[in-house]
Amino acid sequence: MPETDVAVVGAGAAGLSLAHRLAGSVPGLRTPSVVLVDAPPGPLRPPPRTWCYWAEGPGRFDAAVRAQWQRLRVRPPTVSPAEADIAPLRYRMIRSDDFERLVSRDLARSTNVRRLEATVEAVEDVSGGAHVHLRDTDGRARVLSARWVFDSRPPGSLPAARTTLLQHFHGWFVRTAQPAFDPATVELMDFRTPQPGHGLSFGYVLPTGPCEALVEYTEFSRHVLTPQCYEAAVRHYADEVLRLGERQVLATETGVIPMTDAPIPRQTGASVFRIGAAGGATRPATGYTFAGLQRQTRAVADALRRGCRPVPPAAHTRRSRAMDAVLLRALDSGRADGPELFARLFTRVPMTRLLRFLDGDTRLHEDLSVGLHAPVGPMLRSALELPRLPRRPFGPPTPAPSCTEPHPPPASPRPPMPPADPPLPALDPSAPLPPTETA
C-alpha cells in the first residue's frame, strides 16, 4: 500500500495551492492523504516573490492579497497614456511570504495533509504509483511511496522551441519623501524606458500608497542582464522617468520567466505529473502564471476527490497558445515593434476585454476583434513561417554580451502612433467572465 495517496513536491505557489485545495474533507467526496515535501532552507528555496493576477469577486486566497486596484494605465512611447477602470475585475498583488503564511496556517489545522522538509533527489515511476527519493535534513536517504506525485520544481532545462524569449525584471520597493504615486492606478506597462537593441522594455509600478510602491524594470529579450545593469535600469526609470526625488529602497526582487512556444509536458510517468510553471501554467505571451496554476490545481484536486485520474489540464487553450506563438515570433524576429504593438492593443481595445483575452477567457469572435488591432503584416508573415521553423533547445539564461547604463535609446525615434479607435461595442453581454479565484 502507498505511504500516502498524494505527494506534492515543492512548496511554491503551485504546490501550496494544491495542498490547500486538498486539505480537509468535503461531504460526499474522498479525502486523500497528502504529503507536501518542502526543500530545507537554502538555495533550493526561492526568495520572496510578487504574484499578480486579475479576477472578479471574492477568491480563495483573498486573505493574502497585499493590495488591489481597479484602474490600469499603459503609457505608449510617444502618445497619451491609455487608462481605464477594469470593473468588475480587480488587479491583485500577493506577496509570496503572505501566501505561505496563509496556507501554512490552514494546513496546520488539517488532519490529512502533513509537511515534510527534505531534498528531493529523484522521482521514480513504479508499478501502481511512484517513489520519491528524499534526503532529510540529517542527510539520511528515504523513500516516500505515493499513488500520485505532483512535481512543481522548475525543470532543469526547457524543451526545444521555435521561439523562446525571457521576461526578466528587477524591482525596488521604494518609499519616497514626498507623495509620488497614484495609489488607485497601476502602471502596467510604461514604455518610456530606453529600448534594448533586441526585444522590448517597460516600467511597471504597483503603488501601495502615495509614497510607497514596487517599481520595476522589465525586459522581453533573449538574454538576462548583469546585476549592475539591472540596478542602472531601475535607477534610470525611478529617477529620470518617474522623477521620484528623494527615496529609500526598502527591498528588491529579481526574476526570470521563460516565454516559450515549446510544448510543456504535464505528465512524466504513469503516476507522475508536473504542475505550475513546470507544467505549462505560464502564459507564453505575458509571463503571468498565478491564474494558470490555480486552474490546474483546482482541476487536479477535484479529480482526486472524485476518484478520477488526476491529469493536470492545459492551463491555456490551444488557440491561445497558437496566438502566443505568432506573437513571440513577431517580437523575436523584430518584425513587430513591441512597445507599439502592446500600446496599440491597450489604446484600441477596451481594457477589460483585453485582460480577458490575455487570460484566455474570450470567444473566437472576440479574439478576432482583438487581432484586428495588431499589425497584420508582421503577424501574418510570422504565422506563415512558424510551421517551417525547427525547434531548438534553449540553454540556461546568460547575461547579454554588454550593456550600458541604461540601454541606449533607438537610433531613430519611433513614429507616432495613429489616433486610437473609439472603444468597440460590447459583443456579447453573456460571455463568460474570468475565474473568481485566479488570473
Side-chain angles (χ1 to χ4, degrees):
M1 293 293 292
E3 183 178 331
T4 184
D5 296 323
V6 177
V8 180
V9 178
L16 289 172
S17 296
L18 180 56
H20 192 268
R21 293 179 183 279
L22 292 173
S25 60
V26 177
L29 299 179
R30 298 185 179 187
T31 303
S33 59
V34 181
V35 175
L36 174 62
V37 185
D38 192 7
L44 294 179
R45 283 196 184 181
R49 292 91 69 210
T50 301
W51 300 317
C52 289
Y53 62 104
W54 49 88
E56 178 188 2
R60 185 181 189 91
F61 301 111
D62 283 354
V65 172
R66 181 75 64 93
Q68 58 182 327
W69 302 267
Q70 194 171 319
R71 296 193 66 81
L72 299 184
R73 182 185 298 124
V74 172
R75 292 185 183 270
T78 57
V79 298
S80 300
E83 183 175 332
D85 187 314
I86 61 171
L89 303 178
R90 296 290 188 276
Y91 192 81
R92 293 169 177 164
M93 176 179 77
I94 290 180
R95 289 286 290 159
S96 61
D97 47 2
D98 295 332
F99 185 78
E100 291 163 7
R101 278 192 293 269
L102 169 67
V103 174
S104 296
R105 181 199 68 193
D106 293 345
L107 293 184
R109 298 195 291 258
S110 171
T111 58
N112 68 307
V113 178
R114 62 187 176 98
R115 303 188 71 164
L116 176 63
E117 194 171 279
T119 301
V120 175
E121 298 183 331
V123 178
E124 179 188 9
D125 201 51
V126 299
S127 178
H131 289 165
V132 182
H133 296 267
L134 311 167
R135 193 164 298 277
D136 65 20
T137 53
D138 294 329
R140 295 174 299 180
R142 298 181 57 186
V143 176
L144 172 66
S145 298
R147 178 65 186 91
W148 306 106
V149 175
F150 297 90
D151 194 346
S152 65
R153 296 172 300 164
S157 61
L158 293 173
R162 294 166 299 192
T163 308
T164 298
L165 293 176
L166 300 175
Q167 179 179 159
H168 49 108
F169 53 88
H170 183 66
W172 290 348
F173 291 87
V174 300
R175 178 181 295 136
T176 58
Q178 301 294 330
F181 306 106
D182 175 4
T185 306
V186 168
E187 295 278 356
L188 189 67
M189 302 179 91
D190 185 349
F191 291 109
R192 294 177 296 172
T193 54
Q195 297 300 309
H198 174 268
L200 62 104
S201 74
F202 56 89
Y204 178 56
V205 181
L206 299 178
T208 54
C211 299
E212 292 187 345
L214 169 60
V215 175
E216 284 191 353
Y217 172 84
T218 301
E219 274 195 22
F220 295 177
S221 61
R222 296 173 187 162
H223 298 281
V224 295
L225 305 182
T226 63
Q228 296 79 10
C229 288
Y230 281 123
E231 281 290 309
V234 180
R235 184 178 301 109
H236 176 268
Y237 182 58
D239 295 344
E240 304 301 324
V241 178
L242 298 180
R243 301 186 181 277
L244 298 183
E246 183 181 349
R247 38 91 180 142
Q248 178 185 6
V249 178
L250 307 176
T252 65
E253 72 170 22
T254 303
V256 180
I257 302 171
M259 304 169 67
T260 176
D261 68 354
I264 307 295
R266 301 187 302 280
Q267 183 168 357
T268 58
S271 300
V272 183
F273 307 97
R274 288 190 171 274
I275 56 172
T282 301
R283 179 73 192 260
T286 66
Y288 283 93
T289 304
F290 197 78
L293 70 85
Q294 295 304 331
R295 286 191 286 270
Q296 276 189 341
T297 56
R298 182 168 52 237
V300 167
D302 182 68
L304 287 167
R305 289 192 181 276
R306 296 181 184 278
C308 302
R309 184 171 176 79
V311 180
H316 308 287
T317 66
R318 183 173 298 180
R319 189 169 76 243
S320 295
R321 298 196 304 273
M323 291 186 295
D324 287 356
V326 174
L327 174 63
L328 290 177
R329 179 59 187 167
L331 292 175
D332 188 44
S333 65
R335 293 190 192 105
D337 182 302
E340 182 180 352
L341 184 153
F342 283 105
R344 181 189 294 267
L345 291 177
F346 276 97
T347 55
R348 296 186 172 195
V349 180
M351 202 169 289
T352 302
R353 182 183 303 165
L354 186 57
L355 292 177
R356 290 178 50 232
F357 169 80
L358 293 176
D359 202 35
D361 192 36
T362 45
R363 300 178 180 182
L364 177 60
H365 66 275
E366 294 176 295
D367 292 347
L368 294 174
S369 72
V370 172
L372 289 175
H373 296 287
V376 176
M379 292 301 180
L380 181 59
R381 183 177 174 188
S382 298
L384 291 175
E385 80 169 356
L386 275 176
R388 304 192 302 272
L389 293 177
R391 294 187 181 273
R392 295 188 173 91
F394 188 86
T398 57
S402 63
C403 72
T404 57
E405 300 189 7
H407 291 302
S412 58
R414 301 181 185 275
M417 292 175 55
D421 293 341
L424 296 174
L427 295 176
D428 185 358
S430 65
L433 294 171
T436 58
E437 295 182 7
T438 66

